[in-house]
C-alpha cells in the first residue's frame, strides 16, 4: 500500500498515497490517492464538504493527516521514516518544508499592518534572511508581473479583492516555490474581478509552475488545467484530462455535480 | 394622499427638469435642551461660587504646598513607579500570555498559576507582603541548591558564591515596584491573551504557509496586530496603576505623591486643600497619559479601517 522509495529525481512533484483525515469522529478524507507531475496544473473540483480544501491543506501540512503518506518534491511531509517507524518533524523542520510550497487562500489573508511591498518582502527577509535591498528588488519585479507595481506603498485595505489576491500570489511567489496551492482563489471575489486573478494564474501556468487549484471556475479548469480531479465524499471519484471529465464524465456522481454547475 | 403616483415624484424623475430643489424645512425644536442647559448653568454657577467663597479650600495655602519640593519629589516617585511598573507588567504579561497559549502544558500551567495568584491577592496586601519579605530571608545567597545537605559530603563548607543583605536588595522602592509590576503582569497577561486570540487565524496560517516559524509568526504577524486590541485597555491599566501607587505607602515607601500631600495636611491640621491638590495632580497626570494613549493607538491603527474610524470619532469628539 505504501509507495516505495520516492527518489528526488522523480518527475512527480506531489504523491498522495491513501490519505485519510479525521476531525474527531468526522471522517473527512477517506483515502485520497493523487499524483501531480512537475509542471502540471491540476484542478480539483467537487461539491462543498467533499474534502478538496482539506486535502489541499494537508499538502503543506497545515492539517495533519491521520493515515497515509504524502510526499512533496521527494520529501515525506511532516514526518521522518526510520526503520519502519514514523517520527514527527520538529516545528522548524516543518517550516523548512513549507518554504518550497506557496499557498493562496480564498480570503487572501494579506498582513493588514504591512504595506503591499512589505507583505511581499516579509517572508524572504524573515525566513530566508535575504538582504532587504535584494528582497525589495525581487518583490518589485513580482508586483510588476501581477500588474500592481504602482500599489507597492498601499495597504491591503485600500485595494480591491482582485488586487489583494494578486498581491497574495506575488507574496507566495517571493519565496520562489516549486509548487503553488490555490484554495478557491476567486470564490470571495466580485464577478468582475475574477478575470484579473485568473489571468495571473494562467500566466503562471504558462511559465511552467506546478499548481494544484481547488476551484469552481470550470472555464479556467478546461483551458489551463492539464488534469481535472473530481472529489466527492472524501475520495477522488474521477481524474482525467479536463475536456474528457467535463464533456463525458464516467461516474454518475460527476455527472450529477456537473449538471448542477455547468 | 397617494404617495406612489404623486406629481412631485413624476416631476423629479422626468428628464429635463434638472435636479430638484434642496429641502428647506423648519427643524424640530428642542425646548427641553434649553431648559436642561439653563438648569445646569445655575448649578455650575453655584459650584463656582462655592469654590471661590468657601474658606475651607484655602487656595493660596493649597497652591503654595502643591508645588513644594517634597510634593514635586512625590510626583516624580509616583511617575517613575507607574512607568516602570507598567513596563515590567507589559513584558511579564506578554510572556505569561504566550506561555498560556503555547502548546507546552508545563508552561501553560505555570502561566495559569501566576495569573491566578496575582489576580487573587489585593495590591494593598501585596505591597505589605513585599515590604516584609525580609522576614523570610534576611540574606540572599547565590549558589547551588540544597548545598547544606551535600556540600559537607564533598568536604566543602558550602556551595555559595555571593551573598546580599535583603535590606540592600529589597529596598522599599524595589519592594513597591515588584508588588505593583507583578500584579500588573497578571492583568496584562489576560489583556494580551485576548488580543492575540482576536487576530484572524488565517493570518497565522498564511505566515506558516510562507515557512515562518512560530516565534517569527508571533513577533512579526500576530503580536503587531494584537497590539491594536491591547493598547486601549493598557491605557486603562496605566491610569489605574497611577492611582494604585498611592498604596505603596504601606510597603512603606513614603516618598510618593499621596503620602506627601497627606502628611502636609496632617501637619498643618488643614487636610482638605491637600485632598484637592491630590485630585488636581492625578487629573493632570491622567490627562497627559490620555494624549500618549491617543498617539499610540493612532500609530497602531495603520491599515485598519475600523480602528481608524474609532479614532476619527475620538478626534471629532475632542474638537466639540
Amino acid at each position: 500500500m505504501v509507495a516505495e522509495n520516492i527518489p528526488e529525481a522523480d518527475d512527480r512533484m506531489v504523491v498522495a498515497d491513501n490519505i485519510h483525515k479525521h476531525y474527531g469522529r468526522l471522517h473527512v478524507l477517506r483515502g485520497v490517492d493523487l499524483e501531480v507531475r512537475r509542471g502540471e496544473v491540476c484542478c480539483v473540483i467537487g461539491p462543498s464538504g467533499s474534502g478538496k480544501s482539506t486535502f489541499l491543506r494537508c499538502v503543506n501540512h497545515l492539517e495533519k493527516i491521520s493515515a497515509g503518506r504524502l510526499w512533496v518534491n521527494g520529501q515525506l511531509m511532516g514526518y521522518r521514516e526510520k526503520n519502519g517507524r514514523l517520527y514527527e518533524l520538529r516545528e522548524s523542520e516543518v517550516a523548512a518544508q513549507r518554504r518550497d510550497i506557496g499557498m493562496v487562500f480564498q480570503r487572501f489573508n494579506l498582513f493588514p499592518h504591512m504595506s503591499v511591498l512589505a507583505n511581499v518582502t516579509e517572508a524572504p527577509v524573515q525566513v530566508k534572511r535575504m538582504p532587504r535591498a535584494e528582497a525589495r528588488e525581487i518583490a518589485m519585479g513580482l508586483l510588476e508581473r501581477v500588474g500592481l507595481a504602482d500599489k507597492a506603498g498601499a495597504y491591503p485595505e485600500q485595494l480591491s479583492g482582485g488586487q489583494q489576491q494578486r498581491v497574495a500570489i506575488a507574496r507566495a511567489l517571493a519565496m520562489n516555490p516549486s509548487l503553488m496551492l490555490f484554495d478557491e482563489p476567486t470564490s470571495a471575489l466580485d464577478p468582475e474581478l475574477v478575470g484579473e486573478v485568473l489571468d495571473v494564474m494562467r500566466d503562471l501556468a504558462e511559465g511552467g509552475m506546478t499548481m494544484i487549484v481547488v476551484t469552481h471556475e470550470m472555464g479556467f479548469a478546461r483551458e489551463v488545467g492539464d488534469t481535472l480531479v473530481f472529489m466527492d465524499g472524501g475520495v477522488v471519484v474521477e481524474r482525467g484530462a479536463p475536456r474528457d471529465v467535463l464533456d463525458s464524465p464516467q461516474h454518475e456522481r460527476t455527472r450529477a455535480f456537473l449538471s448542477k454547475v455547468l | 394622499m397617494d404617495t406612489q403616483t404623486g406629481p412631485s415624484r413624476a416631476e423629479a424623475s422626468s428628464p429635463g427638469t434638472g435636479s430638484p430643489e434642496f429641502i428647506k424645512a423648519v427643524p424640530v425644536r428642542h425646548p427641553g435642551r434649553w431648559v436642561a442647559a439653563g438648569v445646569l448653568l445655575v448649578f455650575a454657577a453655584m459650584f463656582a461660587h462655592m469654590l471661590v467663597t468657601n474658606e475651607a479650600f484655602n487656595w493660596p495655602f493649597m497652591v503654595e504646598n502643591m508645588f513644594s519640593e517634597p510634593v514635586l519629589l512625590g510626583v516624580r516617585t509616583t511617575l517613575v513607579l507607574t512607568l516602570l511598573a507598567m513596563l515590567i507588567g507589559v513584558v511579564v504579561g506578554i510572556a505569561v500570555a504566550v506561555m498560556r497559549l503555547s502548546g507546552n502544558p508545563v508552561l501553560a500551567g505555570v502561566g495559569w498559576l501566576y495569573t491566578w495568584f496575582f489576580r487573587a491577592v489585593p495590591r494593598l496586601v501585596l505591597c505589605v507582603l513585599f515590604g516584609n519579605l525580609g522576614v523570610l530571608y534576611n540574606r540572599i545567597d547565590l549558589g547551588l541548591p540544597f548545598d547544606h545537605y551535600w556540600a559537607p559530603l564533598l568536604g566543602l563548607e558550602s556551595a555559595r558564591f555571593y551573598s546580599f543583605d535583603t535590606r540592600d536588595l529589597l529596598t522599599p522602592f524595589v519592594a513597591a515596584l515588584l508588588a505593583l509590576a507583578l500584579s500588573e503582569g497578571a492583568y496584562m497577561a489576560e489583556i494580551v491573551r485576548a488580543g492575540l486570540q482576536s487576530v484572524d487565524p488565517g493570518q497565522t496560517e498564511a505566515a506558516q504557509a510562507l515557512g515562518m516559524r512560530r516565534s517569527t509568526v508571533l513577533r512579526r504577524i500576530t503580536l503587531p496586530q494584537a497590539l491594536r486590541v491591547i493598547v486601549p485597555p493598557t491605557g486603562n491599566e496605566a491610569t489605574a496603576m497611577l492611582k494604585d501607587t498611592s498604596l505603596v505607602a504601606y510597603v512603606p515607601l513614603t516618598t510618593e505623591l499621596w503620602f506627601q500631600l497627606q502628611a502636609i495636611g496632617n501637619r498643618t491640621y488643614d487636610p482638605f486643600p491637600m485632598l484637592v491638590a491630590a485630585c488636581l495632580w492625578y487629573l493632570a497626570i491622567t490627562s497627559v497619559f490620555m494624549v500618549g494613549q491617543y498617539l499610540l493607538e493612532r500609530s497602531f491603527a495603520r491599515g485598519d479601517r475600523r480602528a481608524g474610524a474609532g479614532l476619527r470619532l475620538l478626534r471629532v469628539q475632542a474638537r466639540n
Side-chain angles (χ1 to χ4, degrees):
Chain A
M1 200 163 79
V2 175
E4 296 86 62
N5 340 333
I6 307 289
E8 283 274 350
D10 201 313
D11 82 328
R12 292 175 296 179
M13 175 63 78
V14 178
V15 179
D17 179 28
N18 200 16
I19 305 296
H20 287 255
K21 173 70 189 175
H22 298 259
Y23 290 107
R25 290 175 58 190
L26 198 64
H27 196 170
V28 185
L29 299 182
R30 298 163 176 265
V32 176
D33 292 299
L34 190 66
E35 290 186 2
V36 180
R37 284 170 292 101
R38 284 173 203 280
E40 178 178 332
V41 176
C42 173
C43 294
V44 183
I45 60 169
S48 59
S50 60
K52 53 195 194 307
S53 282
T54 305
F55 172 71
L56 199 70
R57 295 160 58 81
C58 288
V59 172
N60 67 353
H61 208 59
L62 277 183
E63 302 284 350
K64 273 189 177 174
I65 58 180
S66 318
R69 298 284 189 278
L70 206 151
W71 287 267
V72 175
N73 218 351
Q75 286 188 47
L76 185 62
M77 289 302 290
Y79 301 94
R80 183 184 299 113
E81 196 159 22
K82 235 165 79 180
N83 305 329
R85 271 187 78 95
L86 280 186
Y87 297 86
E88 264 185 22
L89 291 185
R90 272 177 291 144
E91 196 245 327
S92 56
E93 296 170 311
V94 174
Q97 285 189 329
R98 288 190 185 124
R99 279 169 211 178
D100 224 18
I101 307 171
M103 186 160 191
V104 174
F105 299 86
Q106 184 178 358
R107 305 229 44 111
F108 331 135
N109 296 353
L110 290 181
F111 306 133
H113 58 304
M114 296 180 182
S115 70
V116 163
L117 183 64
N119 262 280
V120 183
T121 57
E122 181 67 10
V125 170
Q126 294 294 329
V127 179
K128 284 186 168 172
R129 303 275 156 215
M130 187 185 283
R132 260 172 212 289
E134 189 187 342
R136 226 183 125 84
E137 205 174 307
I138 293 175
M140 286 311 295
L142 289 169
L143 288 175
E144 191 91 44
R145 188 165 161 194
V146 299
L148 288 170
D150 56 324
K151 298 286 185 189
Y155 281 87
E157 62 142 13
Q158 298 164 323
L159 304 182
S160 73
Q163 291 172 326
Q164 288 191 49
Q165 194 61 296
R166 280 144 68 198
V167 173
I169 294 173
R171 177 176 70 173
L173 291 176
M175 289 297 282
N176 197 18
S178 51
L179 169 67
M180 284 286 285
L181 309 176
F182 292 85
D183 187 6
E184 303 198 23
T186 57
S187 297
L189 297 177
D190 291 338
E192 78 272 22
L193 303 178
V194 169
E196 61 189 66
V197 173
L198 292 183
D199 285 344
V200 169
M201 291 169 62
R202 182 177 292 120
D203 174 57
L204 206 54
E206 280 162 8
M209 178 64 77
T210 314
M211 294 161 59
I212 304 181
V213 186
V214 171
T215 188
H216 294 293
E217 295 295 328
M218 299 303 160
F220 178 84
R222 181 189 293 269
E223 286 167 42
V224 181
D226 298 310
T227 45
L228 185 62
V229 171
F230 172 69
M231 279 182 73
D232 192 13
V235 293
V236 172
V237 175
E238 189 162 351
R239 174 172 187 267
R243 220 164 296 274
D244 299 341
V245 177
L246 291 174
D247 297 340
S248 48
Q250 301 299 307
H251 286 75
E252 185 48 46
R253 277 193 286 178
T254 319
R255 265 194 289 274
F257 174 74
L258 290 176
S259 72
K260 280 179 217 148
V261 297
L262 289 179
Chain B
M1 190 162 75
D2 188 355
T3 52
Q4 297 232 307
T5 56
S8 60
R9 185 186 158 87
E11 224 167 80
S13 58
S14 68
T17 51
S19 59
E21 219 180 305
F22 282 113
I23 290 173
K24 278 188 226 125
V26 179
V28 176
R29 303 296 182 196
H30 297 282
R33 290 181 188 176
W34 290 99
V35 173
V39 170
L40 285 177
L41 208 61
V42 172
F43 278 128
M46 285 167 72
F47 185 68
H49 180 255
M50 181 209 48
L51 287 182
V52 175
T53 58
N54 194 322
E55 306 221 318
F57 282 105
N58 201 353
W59 293 106
F61 169 74
M62 191 208 83
V63 171
E64 186 190 323
N65 284 288
M66 192 174 163
F67 299 102
S68 68
E69 204 188 333
V71 173
L72 289 180
L73 283 177
V75 171
R76 198 184 70 175
T77 308
T78 291
L79 275 178
V80 169
L81 207 54
T82 305
L83 295 179
L84 282 181
M86 280 312 293
L87 202 69
I88 299 173
V90 168
V91 171
V92 170
I94 292 174
V96 172
V98 170
M99 280 163 75
R100 289 198 62 182
L101 293 176
S102 78
N104 183 330
V106 177
L107 287 183
V110 170
W112 181 86
L113 207 67
Y114 179 93
T115 316
W116 170 74
F117 178 81
F118 280 101
R119 281 206 307 178
V121 181
R123 280 193 180 161
L124 181 60
V125 177
L126 282 176
C127 282
V128 181
L129 187 74
F130 276 75
N132 286 287
L133 272 190
V135 174
L136 212 54
Y137 297 106
N138 47 29
R139 302 198 68 74
I140 294 173
D141 297 331
L142 296 181
L144 301 175
F146 301 114
D147 62 335
H148 50 281
Y149 293 117
W150 56 265
L153 301 175
L154 299 176
L156 297 169
E157 206 171 299
S158 72
R160 298 170 191 204
F161 316 124
Y162 200 76
S163 161
F164 303 95
D165 189 320
T166 303
R167 275 170 302 178
D168 293 339
L169 202 65
L170 205 70
T171 60
F173 183 82
V174 172
L177 180 60
L178 278 180
L180 295 178
L182 294 182
S183 155
E184 186 57 42
Y187 291 100
M188 282 309 301
E190 291 298 278
I191 292 173
V192 173
R193 191 165 66 102
L196 287 174
Q197 285 175 334
S198 76
V199 178
D200 176 7
Q203 291 289 309
T204 305
E205 282 183 0
Q208 284 181 334
L210 286 165
M212 287 190 208
R213 304 185 50 176
R214 228 175 290 156
S215 53
T216 314
V217 177
L218 178 75
R219 188 169 50 86
R220 299 287 308 173
I221 308 300
T222 38
L223 198 54
Q225 293 184 56
L227 281 179
R228 253 179 260 149
V229 177
I230 291 170
V231 167
T234 303
N236 242 354
E237 291 292 304
T239 47
M241 178 59 76
L242 172 71
K243 293 174 285 181
D244 283 353
T245 54
S246 56
L247 299 174
V248 302
Y250 290 89
V251 168
L253 176 68
T254 53
T255 53
E256 94 13 90
L257 175 63
W258 162 242
F259 188 89
Q260 290 298 327
L261 286 167
Q262 217 191 5
I264 295 171
N266 290 342
R267 200 172 59 233
T268 56
Y269 298 105
D270 198 358
F272 196 78
M274 292 299 101
L275 296 178
V276 176
C279 291
L280 292 178
W281 265 120
Y282 286 119
L283 269 172
I285 301 173
T286 307
S287 308
V288 173
F289 279 13
M290 282 170 67
V291 175
Q293 184 184 349
Y294 162 70
L295 293 175
L296 260 180
E297 280 183 33
R298 195 174 57 173
S299 76
F300 284 119
R302 261 184 324 184
D304 187 338
R305 191 177 283 139
R306 279 169 306 159
L311 287 173
R312 272 195 292 280
L313 195 70
L314 194 77
R315 225 169 310 162
V316 171
Q317 284 170 344
R319 239 183 268 132
N320 284 347

